[in-house]
Amino acid sequence: MLPMSENEPVVQGPEGESAKPQEVEHRERPNSPAFRAFIASGWAPRPSELPARLPAAAYAAERRARLAAELPGERLVLPAGVFRVRSNDTDHRFRPHSAFAHLTGLGTDREPDAALVIEPTAEGFEAVLYVQPRAERDSEQFYADPRYGELWVGVRPSLEEVEAETGLTCRPLADLREAVTKDVGAVPVRVLREADPGLDEALAEAREAAGVDAAEALTADHDLARIVSELRLVKDEFEVAEMRRAVDATALGFADIVRALPEAVASVRGERVVETVFESRARREGNGVGYDTIAASGPHACTLHWIRNDGPVHENDLVLVDAGVEVDTLYTADVTRTLPVSGKFTEPQRRVYQAVLDAADAAFAAARPGVKFREVHAAAMQVIARTLAEWDLLPGTAEESLGKEGQFHRRWMVHGTSHHLGIDVHDCAQARKEMYLDAELQPGMVFTIEPGLYFGPHDLLAPEELRGIGVRIEDDVLVTADGVENLSAGLPRRPDEIEAWMASLRD
Ligand code: GLY
Ligand code: MN
Ligand code: MN
């Protein structure tokens, strides 16, 4: 299907954002006055009832209050983001910026081009959502605009409807630039950069005209990105419930994979069978996958971000699957299971698996409030280093390897053990080190525990029988009052339990 309009297609800008439409001559759209009157007529009235308040709305209001309290007296601009061109005149599915989703409660594909503006007032602040209202049926957009038109992308909500859903004051998108750029210089303004390049540019011009120092503005904007990232370090009860839904849906996807393994073995591209079975579940249960699925069979497991997934799945290999369902509110799980395709681990596979499991268990045992985030990783690394020393793979002792100047064990696990998890798979990524790695765990934090060992097929330092074996076990945990709860405990992680679970799904 192609759009009808003569000038709608867009070309890709330097950053991949939508750029100016390019004229094309090979398409025609009906445009006579008679046609326009005809297409505008004969439609049922819009429903008069307003939609219900979003369950996230009250939580989002509380988050906005916390943000405004961090930067009192300032205008804060948080764009939803713009469509990204996928290919010529087709866009990627829209996903709002994570900070926008967090601070408005709007999820899935909601409100391209919109922006949340927190405006200082004498009483404190006012939060306003600038949003593209629905175009009526007598507009050209209604039938001729493949990006926003109702006949192309479905009916858009009215401003009143978005107000009802979010509890926010809503104003038309056409007023956004003025709202962002007015009084710049007199009012301190910060924008979350790169979400909406056009808005960045408009603000940059206004700042320049007002004599605002560009370097200071950059620092101020980066601070805003950091603050909204740090705001998500501790999840509220709504977020925890969404994380549970994401993890539960992910567990269903892993069970689907086990059932599909015979089909994967029979297929030339068995990894694609694994990937698509999971992604089918992800689309049915939620918005989709929270990140590209890694479906890595045999030696592909040693390529940490193996997302090509075009290899075969052999009966006697392990298959490492790193996958997460993102629910409609955009919270995602991030789970890895490494499964014996046949349903039974071989001895070398089990040996590597058990070593990784021991490292994961050590990390679980270390994780509790008051312990620093980095200590969870350190606990896993102790086990990894000791195991590799026992296997005589290290150039020295485990203690030497664990020292700053050594780290030899990291040859077989170059990634970290944990990262925060939430609306972004690597959530809170702009947080300062002292709020992340060096911070103490607090109840409500959600993060992964994901040690691994990867013996590449060409690794001459690895024992021959281990070459081509890669294992990662990744769970999602919630910090509680006295430890952590494993949110992904519904998926077996011990070798005997995995074998029994796989057998039960294949009966
Ligand atoms: N799936 C990406 C990660 O585990 O961090
Ligand atoms: Mn992860
Ligand atoms: Mn992962």
Side-chain angles (χ1 to χ4, degrees), residues 305-341:
H305 282 173
W306 177 257
I307 56 171
R308 202 186 306 152
N309 303 341
D310 61 354
V313 171
H314 294 304
E315 181 78 13
N316 293 322
D317 280 343
L318 296 172
V319 61
L320 182 158
V321 184
D322 184 340
V325 173
E326 176 182 274
V327 291
D328 288 336
T329 49
L330 303 180
Y331 290 85
T332 188
D334 179 12
V335 173
T336 305
R337 287 294 180 268
T338 308
L339 307 169
V341 177

Side-chain angles (χ1 to χ4, degrees), residues 176-428:
L176 174 63
R177 288 208 178 182
E178 167 66 10
V180 168
T181 55
K182 71 175 179 201
D183 314 323
V184 167
V187 180
V189 182
R190 301 183 197 238
V191 67
L192 203 57
R193 289 193 190 206
E194 289 171 24
D196 187 333
L199 202 55
D200 287 352
E201 212 172 296
L203 182 57
E205 279 169 20
R207 279 168 161 167
E208 193 179 347
V212 175
D213 182 80
E216 280 173 20
L218 181 65
T219 305
D221 291 347
H222 283 171
D223 281 348
L224 175 63
R226 169 183 63 73
I227 290 167
V228 295
S229 205
E230 291 176 354
L231 214 53
R232 305 207 301 269
L233 282 163
V234 175
K235 272 59 182 172
D236 59 38
E237 60 178 351
F238 176 83
E239 296 181 288
V240 170
E242 293 304 288
M243 289 303 303
R244 287 186 196 284
R245 291 200 317 118
V247 173
D248 290 350
T250 297
L252 296 176
F254 274 86
D256 294 341
I257 288 170
V258 171
R259 287 188 208 94
L261 281 178
E263 187 193 343
V265 170
S267 165
V268 182
R269 295 210 290 179
E271 291 176 343
R272 289 285 166 98
V273 174
V274 171
E275 174 191 326
T276 54
V277 160
F278 186 86
E279 297 198 1
S280 162
R281 174 66 72 173
R283 283 296 286 168
R284 281 180 287 147
E285 301 286 330
N287 187 42
V289 290
Y291 55 92
D292 286 327
T293 298
I294 296 168
S297 189
H300 286 162
C302 302
T303 301
L304 296 177
H305 282 173
W306 177 257
I307 56 171
R308 202 186 306 152
N309 303 341
D310 61 354
V313 171
H314 294 304
E315 181 78 13
N316 293 322
D317 280 343
L318 296 172
V319 61
L320 182 158
V321 184
D322 184 340
V325 173
E326 176 182 274
V327 291
D328 288 336
T329 49
L330 303 180
Y331 290 85
T332 188
D334 179 12
V335 173
T336 305
R337 287 294 180 268
T338 308
L339 307 169
V341 177
S342 68
K344 289 265 177 217
F345 289 93
T346 64
E347 189 285 322
Q349 290 169 352
R350 191 179 268 260
R351 205 188 320 156
V352 178
Y353 193 96
Q354 189 61 48
V356 176
L357 185 61
D358 291 345
D361 285 348
F364 270 91
R368 62 184 170 279
V371 163
K372 286 196 172 142
F373 193 86
R374 62 163 68 252
E375 291 171 43
V376 178
H377 172 68
M381 288 308 96
Q382 293 254 351
V383 175
I384 293 286
R386 297 227 162 94
T387 306
L388 294 173
E390 248 170 58
W391 294 355
D392 214 14
L393 300 189
L394 300 179
T397 65
E399 275 56 41
E400 282 161 359
S401 191
L402 287 162
K404 217 172 169 169
E405 298 308 313
Q407 299 292 307
F408 307 115
H409 54 285
R410 298 296 299 277
R411 172 185 173 113
W412 291 285
M413 184 191 147
V414 291
H415 61 78
T417 304
S418 297
H419 57 79
H420 278 269
L421 183 66
I423 296 186
D424 287 334
V425 62
H426 298 153
D427 212 31
C428 315

Side-chain angles (χ1 to χ4, degrees), residues 20 37 64 81 83 109 117 163 173 197 199 239 288 304 310 341 383 416 437-438 501:
K20 261 186 131 176
R64 290 192 293 273
F83 281 113
D109 56 352
V117 178
E163 284 192 342
L173 192 60
L199 202 55
E239 296 181 288
L304 296 177
D310 61 354
V341 177
V383 175
L437 263 186
D438 290 333
W501 172 67

Side-chain angles (χ1 to χ4, degrees), residues 75-93:
R75 178 181 304 149
L76 310 175
V77 183
L78 302 132
V82 296
F83 281 113
R84 304 270 159 185
V85 176
R86 183 185 182 282
S87 156
N88 187 40
D89 58 355
T90 59
D91 296 317
H92 286 281
R93 265 198 193 101

